[in-house]
Amino acid sequence: EVIAVEFADGMLNELDKFSAMIWPHDVTDFEKHTKGHFYGVGIQITKEMGEPLEVVTPLAGTPAYHAGIKPGDVILAVDGRRTDELSIDKLVRMIMGEQGTKVTLRIKRPGRVKPFEVPIIRDKITIRTVKGWRRLPDGDWDYSLDADRGVGYVRCTQFSEQTTDELVE
């Protein structure tokens, strides 16, 4: 397996900086970025080696958002498995899953004495790649800087299958 990886990477390095091999264990992550959607709970997370998982932010309108997950929450366990012992890649795969299935996060929240369990039903998470200059109270983006003069602001954060349709919208 190591020889196959090294051979493929070495061969592709000779082509150009944009060519790369997508290995089977990377397909889900690759599709998430190119298709613009995945199935999970909708949280951005970070992790330091040997530390538990931490929530950067729940994505607006997602199951994690509706379940009350907050920035700064520490995820101590995913379905009973401690997060300090596992890699972030493994934890992402555990949190993502089939639509309609449940994942339980054990949360430690600043200001609360005891950790608590949050069951969340996974759903389709759509990554909005076209954003405006500020968020409106309902979570949508405001694209208008000066409506009277017809000046707007559009920001593309990445390109996916939905980017063109989002831009037209």
Side-chain angles (χ1 to χ4, degrees):
E1 187 175 317
V2 173
I3 292 171
V5 169
E6 292 298 325
F7 176 74
D9 286 345
M11 178 183 69
L12 292 172
N13 281 341
E14 297 300 315
L15 295 176
D16 58 53
K17 65 182 181 179
F18 303 107
S19 298
M21 182 71 173
I22 300 167
W23 299 99
H25 64 276
D26 293 328
V27 169
T28 301
D29 194 49
F30 177 76
E31 287 180 343
K32 177 171 61 173
H33 293 303
T34 57
K35 290 185 185 277
H37 69 267
F38 61 95
Y39 297 95
V41 300
I43 51 175
Q44 290 180 333
I45 52 177
T46 187
K47 184 177 186 326
E48 298 293 327
M49 180 85 82
E51 295 292 323
L53 204 56
E54 186 174 337
V55 175
V56 175
T57 188
L59 304 177
T62 63
Y65 181 87
H66 293 301
I69 299 296
K70 301 192 179 313
D73 281 351
V74 175
I75 302 173
L76 299 173
V78 176
D79 287 334
R81 298 269 320 264
R82 290 177 40 173
T83 62
D84 59 345
E85 301 172 340
L86 301 170
S87 72
I88 192 165
D89 292 336
K90 172 79 172 167
L91 291 164
V92 166
R93 286 193 298 274
M94 290 171 64
I95 293 170
M96 291 174 62
E98 290 185 34
Q99 186 174 19
T101 60
K102 181 176 81 168
V103 62
T104 302
L105 307 179
R106 183 164 183 75
I107 303 293
K108 178 182 171 191
R109 179 170 292 158
R112 287 191 63 170
V113 177
K114 291 185 174 184
F116 56 97
E117 305 282 324
V118 179
I120 305 174
I121 303 299
R122 296 175 180 105
D123 202 355
K124 183 177 183 178
I125 309 299
T126 301
I127 301 168
R128 301 273 310 176
T129 60
V130 177
K131 299 178 180 178
W133 72 281
R134 69 176 176 152
R135 284 253 190 214
L136 297 170
D138 65 0
D140 284 339
W141 286 100
D142 185 359
Y143 301 99
S144 180
L145 286 174
D146 186 340
D148 295 335
R149 294 183 184 165
V151 178
Y153 176 87
V154 176
R155 177 171 48 117
C156 294
T157 57
Q158 68 186 55
F159 294 99
S160 72
E161 288 180 357
Q162 282 87 268
T163 302
T164 302
D165 292 338
E166 287 180 37
L167 194 53
V168 168
E169 179 187 317

